[in-house]
Amino acid sequence: MSASANATPLIAPMRRLLYVAAFLVFLAGLVLFVFPLRTAEWFAWTVNPPMTAVFLGAAYWASAGLEVTGARSADWDSARLAVWPVFAFTTLTLGVTLLHLDRFHLSPDNALLAQAAAWAWLAIYAIVPVAMLVISRMQIRSRRPDPESRTEGRPVLPPALRLLLVGIAAVLLLYGVALLAVPVPAATWWPWPLSELTARAVGAWLVGLGWAAAQGQLSDDLRLVRPVALTSVAFVILQALALLRHGDALAWPSAPAIAFVTVLVAIGVAGGWALALSRRH
């Protein structure tokens, strides 16, 4: 993809950071999505029930796509739609980790691979947000003058799609913050049981996804929304596979289960719509 004459190119450190982040979340998703019953031996903390593991694994794999797409972007305007949601998620997840450090496989009583995963998890979530903040500052300082005329003639989001993204962002951000702040009462509205740790882990993901949706609707250029659109479609497909594997964990046909599927459908519609429009242009 080539940048326009006035666009600020993506600097090499940011591109490398996004590729590294994509590789790390791919590894996390591999354990959670493919081996949800082995988290006690292979993951940083034990994730139960398996539906929670595959939900988180699907989110990790979808975000890997977001980060790769951001890394492959020619300019900062497109890549930043991947950077800020990742920064929000990693920062929140570091806070969740420190709050529930006793649940992580850091002690010698755990399997060796689980210990290694836990220490790697702690290091990654301590380093990545700081690195992203520092490199983002470098990226912003490299910004070129951006005349208003540069956006003329570019395809913009239809009002209906923008409204749908606003609704998705509001639901994900509000409920994500609730899961982070008051995990026990907020988890009663989730369609399967969550502990305090898993509720906050899910909440961090919802805030990250909601941030991405909010950024997408604020974009003045439909083509720049492509990373978020691709991630949304991948997220919904992976969650559908998760439901096929462990959907019996959901309390059907309860209001939380129906709401969960409804939000997934809305994300899929918004992502597919934006993707189709961006490809057309």
Side-chain angles (χ1 to χ4, degrees):
M1 188 187 302
S2 61
S4 66
N6 293 314
T8 300
L10 191 66
I11 61 175
M14 180 61 76
R15 196 181 302 278
R16 286 193 290 267
L17 178 60
L18 286 170
Y19 276 129
V20 169
F23 175 70
L24 293 173
V25 297
F26 172 80
L27 291 180
L30 182 65
V31 176
L32 291 167
F33 195 80
V34 182
F35 305 104
L37 301 178
R38 307 301 295 272
T39 57
E41 306 152 71
W42 296 352
F43 196 59
W45 44 286
T46 304
V47 185
N48 280 313
M51 183 60 203
T52 303
V54 291
F55 173 87
L56 295 172
Y60 273 108
W61 270 359
S63 73
L66 176 66
E67 288 155 2
V68 168
T69 307
R72 295 182 65 230
S73 299
D75 58 75
W76 170 240
D77 282 345
S78 182
R80 65 186 172 86
L81 269 73
V83 170
W84 298 125
V86 171
F87 173 74
F89 165 74
T90 53
T91 302
L92 289 170
T93 301
L94 175 61
V96 171
T97 300
L98 296 176
L99 273 174
H100 298 279
L101 204 56
D102 59 310
R103 292 281 306 277
F104 285 77
H105 298 148
L106 298 170
S107 72
D109 300 333
N110 297 287
L112 188 60
L113 187 56
Q115 287 182 62
W119 284 106
W121 172 286
L122 194 58
I124 289 164
Y125 281 104
I127 293 169
V128 169
V130 176
M132 195 156 277
L133 204 58
V134 170
I135 297 173
S136 294
R137 186 170 183 271
M138 294 166 55
Q139 176 69 69
I140 292 168
R141 290 180 67 180
S142 74
R143 186 186 296 273
R144 293 176 179 173
D146 192 15
E148 293 183 9
S149 59
R150 190 170 71 84
T151 61
E152 289 180 3
R154 290 194 170 189
V156 297
L157 273 69
L161 176 55
R162 196 181 293 274
L163 184 62
L164 180 58
L165 286 169
V166 168
I168 293 169
V171 169
L172 295 180
L173 288 170
L174 289 173
Y175 189 50
V177 169
L179 285 170
L180 287 164
V182 284
V184 174
T188 60
W189 287 95
W190 194 253
W192 65 86
L194 296 175
S195 66
E196 282 193 50
L197 171 55
T198 54
R200 286 188 165 120
V202 169
W205 271 115
L206 296 186
V207 170
L209 293 168
W211 192 312
Q215 280 194 153
Q217 72 86 23
L218 289 171
S219 176
D220 292 326
D221 187 344
L222 182 58
R223 289 169 293 189
L224 301 183
V225 184
R226 186 174 176 80
V228 176
L230 285 167
T231 301
S232 300
V233 172
F235 178 75
V236 171
I237 292 171
L238 289 166
Q239 293 298 346
L241 293 174
L243 286 171
L244 288 174
R245 292 172 62 194
H246 297 286
D248 56 344
L250 278 70
W252 299 104
S254 65
I258 293 169
F260 180 79
V261 173
T262 301
V263 172
L264 282 183
V265 170
I267 293 171
V269 169
W273 188 357
L275 188 58
L277 290 173
S278 68
R279 290 176 64 87
R280 184 184 305 168
H281 290 284

PDB file of all heavy atoms in Angstrom, residues 209-233:
ATOM      1  N   LEU A 209     -11.870  -3.283  22.061  1.00  0.00           N
ATOM      2  CA  LEU A 209     -12.713  -3.387  20.860  1.00  0.00           C
ATOM      3  C   LEU A 209     -13.627  -2.173  20.718  1.00  0.00           C
ATOM      4  O   LEU A 209     -13.851  -1.671  19.609  1.00  0.00           O
ATOM      5  CB  LEU A 209     -13.546  -4.670  20.931  1.00  0.00           C
ATOM      6  CG  LEU A 209     -12.766  -5.987  20.846  1.00  0.00           C
ATOM      7  CD1 LEU A 209     -13.662  -7.169  21.236  1.00  0.00           C
ATOM      8  CD2 LEU A 209     -12.200  -6.193  19.450  1.00  0.00           C
ATOM      9  N   GLY A 210     -14.161  -1.703  21.849  1.00  0.00           N
ATOM     10  CA  GLY A 210     -15.014  -0.519  21.809  1.00  0.00           C
ATOM     11  C   GLY A 210     -14.248   0.714  21.378  1.00  0.00           C
ATOM     12  O   GLY A 210     -14.759   1.554  20.631  1.00  0.00           O
ATOM     13  N   TRP A 211     -13.005   0.821  21.832  1.00  0.00           N
ATOM     14  CA  TRP A 211     -12.148   1.940  21.418  1.00  0.00           C
ATOM     15  C   TRP A 211     -11.936   1.898  19.910  1.00  0.00           C
ATOM     16  O   TRP A 211     -11.993   2.919  19.232  1.00  0.00           O
ATOM     17  CB  TRP A 211     -10.808   1.845  22.147  1.00  0.00           C
ATOM     18  CG  TRP A 211      -9.934   3.063  22.039  1.00  0.00           C
ATOM     19  CD1 TRP A 211      -9.626   3.759  20.902  1.00  0.00           C
ATOM     20  CD2 TRP A 211      -9.249   3.729  23.100  1.00  0.00           C
ATOM     21  NE1 TRP A 211      -8.787   4.806  21.181  1.00  0.00           N
ATOM     22  CE2 TRP A 211      -8.535   4.810  22.525  1.00  0.00           C
ATOM     23  CE3 TRP A 211      -9.147   3.507  24.465  1.00  0.00           C
ATOM     24  CZ2 TRP A 211      -7.741   5.661  23.292  1.00  0.00           C
ATOM     25  CZ3 TRP A 211      -8.360   4.356  25.215  1.00  0.00           C
ATOM     26  CH2 TRP A 211      -7.672   5.429  24.631  1.00  0.00           C
ATOM     27  N   ALA A 212     -11.688   0.696  19.374  1.00  0.00           N
ATOM     28  CA  ALA A 212     -11.491   0.555  17.928  1.00  0.00           C
ATOM     29  C   ALA A 212     -12.736   0.989  17.158  1.00  0.00           C
ATOM     30  O   ALA A 212     -12.649   1.688  16.139  1.00  0.00           O
ATOM     31  CB  ALA A 212     -11.132  -0.880  17.581  1.00  0.00           C
ATOM     32  N   ALA A 213     -13.917   0.590  17.650  1.00  0.00           N
ATOM     33  CA  ALA A 213     -15.158   0.988  16.986  1.00  0.00           C
ATOM     34  C   ALA A 213     -15.359   2.498  17.064  1.00  0.00           C
ATOM     35  O   ALA A 213     -15.802   3.129  16.089  1.00  0.00           O
ATOM     36  CB  ALA A 213     -16.345   0.261  17.626  1.00  0.00           C
ATOM     37  N   ALA A 214     -15.042   3.095  18.207  1.00  0.00           N
ATOM     38  CA  ALA A 214     -15.182   4.542  18.362  1.00  0.00           C
ATOM     39  C   ALA A 214     -14.249   5.282  17.417  1.00  0.00           C
ATOM     40  O   ALA A 214     -14.634   6.264  16.766  1.00  0.00           O
ATOM     41  CB  ALA A 214     -14.908   4.948  19.811  1.00  0.00           C
ATOM     42  N   GLN A 215     -13.000   4.822  17.322  1.00  0.00           N
ATOM     43  CA  GLN A 215     -12.063   5.444  16.382  1.00  0.00           C
ATOM     44  C   GLN A 215     -12.542   5.306  14.946  1.00  0.00           C
ATOM     45  O   GLN A 215     -12.389   6.221  14.140  1.00  0.00           O
ATOM     46  CB  GLN A 215     -10.684   4.789  16.517  1.00  0.00           C
ATOM     47  CG  GLN A 215      -9.862   5.273  17.671  1.00  0.00           C
ATOM     48  CD  GLN A 215      -8.416   4.838  17.543  1.00  0.00           C
ATOM     49  OE1 GLN A 215      -7.532   5.495  18.068  1.00  0.00           O
ATOM     50  NE2 GLN A 215      -8.143   3.752  16.870  1.00  0.00           N
ATOM     51  N   GLY A 216     -13.100   4.140  14.631  1.00  0.00           N
ATOM     52  CA  GLY A 216     -13.561   3.903  13.267  1.00  0.00           C
ATOM     53  C   GLY A 216     -14.638   4.877  12.845  1.00  0.00           C
ATOM     54  O   GLY A 216     -14.596   5.446  11.746  1.00  0.00           O
ATOM     55  N   GLN A 217     -15.587   5.146  13.729  1.00  0.00           N
ATOM     56  CA  GLN A 217     -16.671   6.053  13.347  1.00  0.00           C
ATOM     57  C   GLN A 217     -16.202   7.500  13.290  1.00  0.00           C
ATOM     58  O   GLN A 217     -16.833   8.333  12.649  1.00  0.00           O
ATOM     59  CB  GLN A 217     -17.870   5.886  14.285  1.00  0.00           C
ATOM     60  CG  GLN A 217     -17.706   6.412  15.673  1.00  0.00           C
ATOM     61  CD  GLN A 217     -18.038   7.887  15.794  1.00  0.00           C
ATOM     62  OE1 GLN A 217     -18.777   8.440  14.975  1.00  0.00           O
ATOM     63  NE2 GLN A 217     -17.467   8.522  16.807  1.00  0.00           N
ATOM     64  N   LEU A 218     -15.083   7.816  13.930  1.00  0.00           N
ATOM     65  CA  LEU A 218     -14.552   9.178  13.889  1.00  0.00           C
ATOM     66  C   LEU A 218     -13.693   9.426  12.651  1.00  0.00           C
ATOM     67  O   LEU A 218     -13.324  10.569  12.377  1.00  0.00           O
ATOM     68  CB  LEU A 218     -13.721   9.458  15.147  1.00  0.00           C
ATOM     69  CG  LEU A 218     -14.503   9.589  16.455  1.00  0.00           C
ATOM     70  CD1 LEU A 218     -13.551   9.650  17.631  1.00  0.00           C
ATOM     71  CD2 LEU A 218     -15.410  10.805  16.431  1.00  0.00           C
ATOM     72  N   SER A 219     -13.357   8.385  11.921  1.00  0.00           N
ATOM     73  CA  SER A 219     -12.482   8.539  10.764  1.00  0.00           C
ATOM     74  C   SER A 219     -13.182   9.300   9.644  1.00  0.00           C
ATOM     75  O   SER A 219     -14.377   9.122   9.400  1.00  0.00           O
ATOM     76  CB  SER A 219     -12.041   7.171  10.249  1.00  0.00           C
ATOM     77  OG  SER A 219     -11.276   7.302   9.075  1.00  0.00           O
ATOM     78  N   ASP A 220     -12.423  10.155   8.966  1.00  0.00           N
ATOM     79  CA  ASP A 220     -12.961  10.893   7.830  1.00  0.00           C
ATOM     80  C   ASP A 220     -12.755  10.165   6.504  1.00  0.00           C
ATOM     81  O   ASP A 220     -13.175  10.647   5.462  1.00  0.00           O
ATOM     82  CB  ASP A 220     -12.285  12.279   7.727  1.00  0.00           C
ATOM     83  CG  ASP A 220     -12.675  13.178   8.886  1.00  0.00           C
ATOM     84  OD1 ASP A 220     -13.827  13.070   9.343  1.00  0.00           O
ATOM     85  OD2 ASP A 220     -11.835  13.967   9.341  1.00  0.00           O
ATOM     86  N   ASP A 221     -12.086   9.025   6.550  1.00  0.00           N
ATOM     87  CA  ASP A 221     -11.740   8.316   5.326  1.00  0.00           C
ATOM     88  C   ASP A 221     -12.105   6.846   5.485  1.00  0.00           C
ATOM     89  O   ASP A 221     -11.568   6.151   6.345  1.00  0.00           O
ATOM     90  CB  ASP A 221     -10.243   8.473   5.039  1.00  0.00           C
ATOM     91  CG  ASP A 221      -9.843   7.898   3.684  1.00  0.00           C
ATOM     92  OD1 ASP A 221     -10.629   7.124   3.116  1.00  0.00           O
ATOM     93  OD2 ASP A 221      -8.748   8.219   3.210  1.00  0.00           O
ATOM     94  N   LEU A 222     -13.004   6.379   4.636  1.00  0.00           N
ATOM     95  CA  LEU A 222     -13.472   5.004   4.716  1.00  0.00           C
ATOM     96  C   LEU A 222     -12.341   3.997   4.572  1.00  0.00           C
ATOM     97  O   LEU A 222     -12.329   2.951   5.210  1.00  0.00           O
ATOM     98  CB  LEU A 222     -14.531   4.776   3.628  1.00  0.00           C
ATOM     99  CG  LEU A 222     -15.200   3.412   3.562  1.00  0.00           C
ATOM    100  CD1 LEU A 222     -15.878   3.071   4.871  1.00  0.00           C
ATOM    101  CD2 LEU A 222     -16.207   3.377   2.428  1.00  0.00           C
ATOM    102  N   ARG A 223     -11.359   4.333   3.746  1.00  0.00           N
ATOM    103  CA  ARG A 223     -10.266   3.395   3.513  1.00  0.00           C
ATOM    104  C   ARG A 223      -9.420   3.181   4.760  1.00  0.00           C
ATOM    105  O   ARG A 223      -8.812   2.127   4.938  1.00  0.00           O
ATOM    106  CB  ARG A 223      -9.385   3.897   2.363  1.00  0.00           C
ATOM    107  CG  ARG A 223     -10.076   3.782   1.013  1.00  0.00           C
ATOM    108  CD  ARG A 223      -9.317   4.511  -0.059  1.00  0.00           C
ATOM    109  NE  ARG A 223      -9.325   5.960   0.154  1.00  0.00           N
ATOM    110  CZ  ARG A 223      -8.872   6.834  -0.740  1.00  0.00           C
ATOM    111  NH1 ARG A 223      -8.379   6.407  -1.881  1.00  0.00           N
ATOM    112  NH2 ARG A 223      -8.910   8.124  -0.492  1.00  0.00           N
ATOM    113  N   LEU A 224      -9.379   4.166   5.660  1.00  0.00           N
ATOM    114  CA  LEU A 224      -8.593   4.036   6.870  1.00  0.00           C
ATOM    115  C   LEU A 224      -9.241   3.105   7.897  1.00  0.00           C
ATOM    116  O   LEU A 224      -8.585   2.659   8.834  1.00  0.00           O
ATOM    117  CB  LEU A 224      -8.359   5.412   7.508  1.00  0.00           C
ATOM    118  CG  LEU A 224      -7.630   6.443   6.642  1.00  0.00           C
ATOM    119  CD1 LEU A 224      -7.399   7.717   7.428  1.00  0.00           C
ATOM    120  CD2 LEU A 224      -6.303   5.894   6.115  1.00  0.00           C
ATOM    121  N   VAL A 225     -10.518   2.810   7.722  1.00  0.00           N
ATOM    122  CA  VAL A 225     -11.242   1.958   8.657  1.00  0.00           C
ATOM    123  C   VAL A 225     -11.000   0.473   8.344  1.00  0.00           C
ATOM    124  O   VAL A 225     -11.391  -0.403   9.114  1.00  0.00           O
ATOM    125  CB  VAL A 225     -12.756   2.275   8.618  1.00  0.00           C
ATOM    126  CG1 VAL A 225     -13.531   1.480   9.658  1.00  0.00           C
ATOM    127  CG2 VAL A 225     -12.978   3.759   8.863  1.00  0.00           C
ATOM    128  N   ARG A 226     -10.328   0.201   7.249  1.00  0.00           N
ATOM    129  CA  ARG A 226     -10.137  -1.186   6.808  1.00  0.00           C
ATOM    130  C   ARG A 226      -9.533  -2.100   7.888  1.00  0.00           C
ATOM    131  O   ARG A 226     -10.012  -3.223   8.076  1.00  0.00           O
ATOM    132  CB  ARG A 226      -9.283  -1.208   5.544  1.00  0.00           C
ATOM    133  CG  ARG A 226      -9.151  -2.580   4.917  1.00  0.00           C
ATOM    134  CD  ARG A 226      -8.404  -2.468   3.584  1.00  0.00           C
ATOM    135  NE  ARG A 226      -8.186  -3.766   2.999  1.00  0.00           N
ATOM    136  CZ  ARG A 226      -9.089  -4.452   2.312  1.00  0.00           C
ATOM    137  NH1 ARG A 226     -10.287  -3.929   2.132  1.00  0.00           N
ATOM    138  NH2 ARG A 226      -8.814  -5.633   1.797  1.00  0.00           N
ATOM    139  N   PRO A 227      -8.484  -1.682   8.640  1.00  0.00           N
ATOM    140  CA  PRO A 227      -7.961  -2.573   9.687  1.00  0.00           C
ATOM    141  C   PRO A 227      -9.014  -2.963  10.720  1.00  0.00           C
ATOM    142  O   PRO A 227      -9.095  -4.125  11.131  1.00  0.00           O
ATOM    143  CB  PRO A 227      -6.838  -1.746  10.329  1.00  0.00           C
ATOM    144  CG  PRO A 227      -6.415  -0.785   9.278  1.00  0.00           C
ATOM    145  CD  PRO A 227      -7.663  -0.453   8.521  1.00  0.00           C
ATOM    146  N   VAL A 228      -9.825  -1.999  11.142  1.00  0.00           N
ATOM    147  CA  VAL A 228     -10.876  -2.288  12.126  1.00  0.00           C
ATOM    148  C   VAL A 228     -11.939  -3.199  11.519  1.00  0.00           C
ATOM    149  O   VAL A 228     -12.446  -4.120  12.172  1.00  0.00           O
ATOM    150  CB  VAL A 228     -11.510  -0.983  12.636  1.00  0.00           C
ATOM    151  CG1 VAL A 228     -12.665  -1.271  13.586  1.00  0.00           C
ATOM    152  CG2 VAL A 228     -10.459  -0.125  13.327  1.00  0.00           C
ATOM    153  N   ALA A 229     -12.276  -2.973  10.243  1.00  0.00           N
ATOM    154  CA  ALA A 229     -13.278  -3.796   9.575  1.00  0.00           C
ATOM    155  C   ALA A 229     -12.821  -5.243   9.475  1.00  0.00           C
ATOM    156  O   ALA A 229     -13.581  -6.177   9.767  1.00  0.00           O
ATOM    157  CB  ALA A 229     -13.572  -3.227   8.188  1.00  0.00           C
ATOM    158  N   LEU A 230     -11.582  -5.450   9.070  1.00  0.00           N
ATOM    159  CA  LEU A 230     -11.044  -6.809   8.963  1.00  0.00           C
ATOM    160  C   LEU A 230     -11.039  -7.503  10.328  1.00  0.00           C
ATOM    161  O   LEU A 230     -11.399  -8.678  10.449  1.00  0.00           O
ATOM    162  CB  LEU A 230      -9.621  -6.752   8.401  1.00  0.00           C
ATOM    163  CG  LEU A 230      -9.497  -6.479   6.905  1.00  0.00           C
ATOM    164  CD1 LEU A 230      -8.059  -6.139   6.549  1.00  0.00           C
ATOM    165  CD2 LEU A 230      -9.966  -7.680   6.098  1.00  0.00           C
ATOM    166  N   THR A 231     -10.646  -6.764  11.359  1.00  0.00           N
ATOM    167  CA  THR A 231     -10.612  -7.323  12.704  1.00  0.00           C
ATOM    168  C   THR A 231     -12.007  -7.705  13.174  1.00  0.00           C
ATOM    169  O   THR A 231     -12.204  -8.762  13.793  1.00  0.00           O
ATOM    170  CB  THR A 231     -10.000  -6.306  13.680  1.00  0.00           C
ATOM    171  OG1 THR A 231      -8.686  -5.991  13.233  1.00  0.00           O
ATOM    172  CG2 THR A 231      -9.927  -6.866  15.087  1.00  0.00           C
ATOM    173  N   SER A 232     -12.987  -6.868  12.885  1.00  0.00           N
ATOM    174  CA  SER A 232     -14.368  -7.139  13.300  1.00  0.00           C
ATOM    175  C   SER A 232     -14.895  -8.418  12.668  1.00  0.00           C
ATOM    176  O   SER A 232     -15.509  -9.253  13.334  1.00  0.00           O
ATOM    177  CB  SER A 232     -15.263  -5.960  12.923  1.00  0.00           C
ATOM    178  OG  SER A 232     -14.836  -4.780  13.554  1.00  0.00           O
ATOM    179  N   VAL A 233     -14.657  -8.573  11.371  1.00  0.00           N
ATOM    180  CA  VAL A 233     -15.129  -9.771  10.674  1.00  0.00           C
ATOM    181  C   VAL A 233     -14.432 -11.009  11.227  1.00  0.00           C
ATOM    182  O   VAL A 233     -15.073 -12.035  11.493  1.00  0.00           O
ATOM    183  CB  VAL A 233     -14.892  -9.628   9.158  1.00  0.00           C
ATOM    184  CG1 VAL A 233     -15.193 -10.944   8.439  1.00  0.00           C
ATOM    185  CG2 VAL A 233     -15.755  -8.508   8.590  1.00  0.00           C
TER     186      VAL A 233
END
